[in-house]
Amino acid sequence: MFRINDFRFNPPSAAAQSAGGKPCSSENPMRVRHFGLLLLLAPIALIWACAEDPTSPRQTGPAVAFAIVSGDGQTGTVGEDLPQPIRVLATDANNQPVPNVVVNFVTTGGGGSVFAGSALTDAAGIAAEVWTLGTVAGSPQTLEVRAVDAAGVKHVYGLFTATAIAGAPTAIVPVAGDGQTADAGTAVAVPPSVKLTDQFGNLVPNQVVTFAVSSGGGNVTGGSATTNAQGIATVGSWVLGPLAGANTLTATAAALPSNPVSFSATATTPVVPLLGLATAPSATAQSGSALATQPVLQLQDAQSNPINQAGVPITVSLNGGGATLGGTTTVSTDANGRAVFTDLVITGTVGSYSLSFSSAGLATIASGAISLTPGAPTALVLSAGDGQSAVAGTAVPIAPAVLVVDQSGNTVAGVSVTFTVNLGGGSVTGATVVSGSNGIATVGSWILGSTPGTNILVASSAATPTSSVTFTATGTAPPGNFWTGGLASMKTPRRYTSYGVINGILYVSGGRSATGVAYQLEAYNPVTNLWTTKTTPATRRNGAAFGVINGLLYVVGGTDVNSVKLATMDAYNPVTNSWAVKAPLPEVKDFAASAVVNGILYVAGGGGAGNGVSNTVYAYDPGTNTWTQKASLPAPRGDLVGATLGGLFYAVGGSITSGPDGAMQAYDPATDSWSTRAPVPAQRYHLNVAVNNGKLYAVGGFLPGGTTSNRLDSYDPATNTWTQGANMLTARVGMAMDFINGVLYASGGYTAGTAASTTGVTEKYTP
């Protein structure tokens, strides 16, 4: 602390007053006072200067007090300058700073020194000095502010104090624990310790020292220690290695990494190690895959205490036939006496196995049972169903199947396998199936293509990308009931056309193409398999009714390019390749049923005026070019089709206001009445019908929900029953379809849900 001495002053003499003017102080003794942080050190003179004029600037008088500005009570490193200079302030009786005052600084305890020893106060009245501490940590460090007055009297104005701490460590020396002897594998009696000092021999606390075994294979606890107040760091314990002989321990200070201290010890009576399983291998393993839990071996004594001996090789082997052990099978122990296996793999036949661990001179130990399961699938193998034959369009008798196996031939369950038709145009049910517990995956069924010939089915799996199985089957020609593809396509793909057969030629008019309502008239000759373009009709129509009477193709109603429903009718003469206008329908209609019975064209139902559907029926007589209304359908119906069978007009399929229902009614012109017949299987609308050999054939169309169908069914009026036939090769709606010489030709139509799905494909069906 800065200490203060008290002084009294005598008033100035008369001579001084006469020489200097009026006195400025009373005759009472004056005591130097302490103001706030200013500490009074000592009075050093009288105040003589007094202003003769109250208005003149006040002059600075002699210094009468000193106060500490900074630097007292610091802490610093021995032998080094304090972090801050020490500073004092000289002030006069009016507390004004006094410049040019000589101040002396003298070290009085701790052996330190100052840089100059004395200093003049500056313009702010402050004098500063640099204080270098002594070299003994913890010793009292003091410095006095001194002066000698004119009379030769010595004055001590105050005392600065500081605390000296040790410097950075420059030396590390052993304290205890060197040269001991203990049984191998046990701790020495005295834990080794070291002491750190600085350049002046002061003890250095709070320094990190690391103790590490450098030879002998032992180990330590508390290997990282910190020096205490006496500069000493002590390891927790030092356990010698398991073999008799020399052991060494190194102590390294973090601040002195290049100057370690070494301790030696001698191990006696070596411990004979045993093998122990620190970590047992997995109880279940997958063939060909690394064990999920790899074994870890530990050298230990008879009491199962670990022995820290490095470099002991341990070898693992497989017990049980039918499999092999892969990976690194020999591993040496580390400094902790542990052998860690990392990549052991058992590959082979599923079953129970175990591992044995051995080392020269040590007893062999074994693991518990390891159940080996199938590995990852690597291949598909033919199981059943190859090389069969069946009637084209029917399912093969044995559903194809594959066996999923791993690299060792074990069957693998739970693998997804997909069966895909590769050739022949057939289809499958249950195309994607998961292998069962026996590893077998079987397709639901394989239906061969409707064209006789070779069919190919391929089984594949994402789990075995390089392995697949190919099945081959032969589709034989049935006595009938098959489709043939590959015929010439329409020049302009269309749907919802008007069509008819005249002299063995199929004429197709209008409809809707991918870009809008079409106007082309094209003719297909099945003998030459060629399409030719004919005269374009005057009116573009989509969804019109139609029929052939006396060699003319009549087209009536439908919608035009602006989606306006029509009532007009035109007739095409293939002999003259020309069109003629005929009497219009009494009302507009589109997508109505139509057929010719005894030379009369009947048109029933369909879309009427506005957005509704109609049940009205009209008959057209080409002889009089007139229309007559007939008995209405039992209910309004749209998107239906018509055919003539046994002198009756059949209205087939379509939709009522609540949706498709597959209904079929027959109209008898003789009685002008309707009767209900067996409905079309699989309710459909926009389907196509044609008649051959006393049976009505219904093909394609939209199923409920808008899915296109490739189904073919034939209707026998004698039994009022339907029979399903071979599926059409291409699922479609709104085709041009009719029989020519006992063969059904289907061309064009609509395959999916966009305009681009309009097709011109042509296929034929042999009943």
Side-chain angles (χ1 to χ4, degrees), residues 489-494 505-510 520-524 531-535:
S489 294
M490 280 185 186
K491 291 178 177 291
T492 303
R494 287 168 283 167
I505 304 296
L506 176 64
Y507 292 89
V508 181
S509 176
Q520 293 87 350
L521 172 64
E522 296 176 6
Y524 175 71
W531 288 89
T532 56
T533 302
K534 303 297 180 180
T535 299

Side-chain angles (χ1 to χ4, degrees), residues 499-518:
Y499 55 87
V501 174
I502 303 174
N503 297 325
I505 304 296
L506 176 64
Y507 292 89
V508 181
S509 176
R512 178 175 288 275
S513 69
T515 58
V517 176

Side-chain angles (χ1 to χ4, degrees), residues 288-534:
S289 297
L291 297 177
T293 302
Q294 296 283 332
V296 178
L297 276 293
Q298 174 69 61
L299 297 179
Q300 58 188 32
D301 60 19
Q303 288 74 43
S304 298
N305 299 308
I307 295 176
N308 302 318
Q309 181 178 349
V312 177
I314 299 176
T315 300
V316 61
S317 59
L318 182 68
N319 301 318
T324 59
L325 181 64
T328 304
T329 55
T330 298
V331 175
S332 294
T333 57
D334 58 18
N336 296 316
R338 293 165 67 89
V340 181
F341 293 87
T342 59
D343 58 357
L344 297 181
V345 178
I346 302 175
T347 304
T349 306
V350 297
S352 182
Y353 300 87
S354 66
L355 300 178
S356 288
F357 302 91
S358 61
S359 183
L362 304 181
T364 299
I365 64 171
S367 72
I370 301 173
S371 177
L372 189 64
T373 62
T378 59
L380 302 181
V381 180
L382 175 66
S383 177
D386 188 32
Q388 302 181 77
S389 63
V391 173
T394 65
V396 294
I398 300 173
V402 295
L403 185 66
V404 185
V405 298
D406 66 7
Q407 62 178 331
S408 300
N410 299 305
T411 59
V412 184
V415 178
S416 180
V417 178
T418 299
F419 293 84
T420 306
V421 173
N422 183 265
L423 182 68
S427 62
V428 294
T429 63
T432 300
V433 62
V434 175
S435 59
S437 58
N438 57 0
I440 295 176
T442 305
V443 71
S445 67
W446 180 18
I447 301 169
L448 303 183
S450 58
T451 301
T454 300
N455 289 251
I456 293 177
L457 182 71
V458 176
S460 61
S461 174
T464 61
T466 61
S467 176
S468 60
V469 174
T470 299
F471 298 86
T472 301
T474 301
T476 60
N481 188 33
F482 64 90
W483 287 88
T484 304
L487 303 180
S489 294
M490 280 185 186
K491 291 178 177 291
T492 303
R494 287 168 283 167
R495 62 187 188 273
Y496 308 141
T497 55
S498 304
Y499 55 87
V501 174
I502 303 174
N503 297 325
I505 304 296
L506 176 64
Y507 292 89
V508 181
S509 176
R512 178 175 288 275
S513 69
T515 58
V517 176
Y519 58 86
Q520 293 87 350
L521 172 64
E522 296 176 6
Y524 175 71
N525 187 337
V527 176
T528 61
N529 189 32
L530 293 175
W531 288 89
T532 56
T533 302
K534 303 297 180 180

Side-chain angles (χ1 to χ4, degrees), residues 38 41 214 386 477 518 565 567 574 617 656 666 720 763-764:
L38 300 179
L41 299 177
S214 53
D386 188 32
K565 294 178 182 177
V617 179
I656 58 175
N720 190 33
E763 298 167 351
K764 66 179 181 180

